[in-house]
Amino acid sequence: MSTERTPRTARYIESGQWPDATLTPDAPAHVARVQAMCRRLRDRIDDTGESARSVAHRAGIAPSTVTRVLQGQTWCDVATLAALEDALGVDVWLPHGSTD
């Protein structure tokens, strides 16, 4: 039995890899918003020049949580998102209706 978890987003990916994948036509709108948030989070972490692990530690979050969010294995909860935004000093979530 495999211990590898299927990413939560896998059923909505038509091609490519999360978070840059092309979504299936039937993907709910919120999946595109979560995808955009993951791209923004990844890009903001890259902008710092730090590793995701380092940003996670500054945010008081387990590095594995950040990795799982960025890989689409789990959704980011509000408290985690707020802690990451505080650590990065930027907003990552998008206004309603935005996908980038």
Side-chain angles (χ1 to χ4, degrees):
M1 182 170 129
S2 174
T3 58
E4 185 175 327
R5 296 180 67 178
T6 301
R8 187 169 189 177
T9 55
R11 66 180 156 231
Y12 302 117
I13 294 176
E14 185 169 86
S15 64
Q17 291 192 341
W18 188 264
D20 298 310
T22 300
L23 299 179
T24 59
D26 65 336
H30 71 271
V31 175
R33 294 185 71 214
V34 170
Q35 181 184 39
M37 183 275 303
C38 287
R39 282 194 305 264
R40 286 173 57 92
L41 176 59
R42 177 198 58 202
D43 294 348
R44 297 312 172 264
I45 290 171
D46 289 349
D47 290 348
T48 69
E50 295 180 71
S51 67
R53 174 178 286 278
S54 175
V55 172
H57 283 297
R58 285 195 300 112
I61 296 166
S64 61
T65 298
V66 175
T67 298
R68 291 180 64 227
V69 166
L70 291 173
Q71 292 177 348
Q73 293 175 340
T74 189
W75 301 128
C76 188
D77 67 42
V78 175
T80 299
L81 180 60
L84 287 166
E85 287 180 331
D86 288 347
L88 292 166
V90 296
D91 290 335
V92 176
W93 190 248
L94 303 164
H96 182 71
S98 298
T99 56
D100 268 336

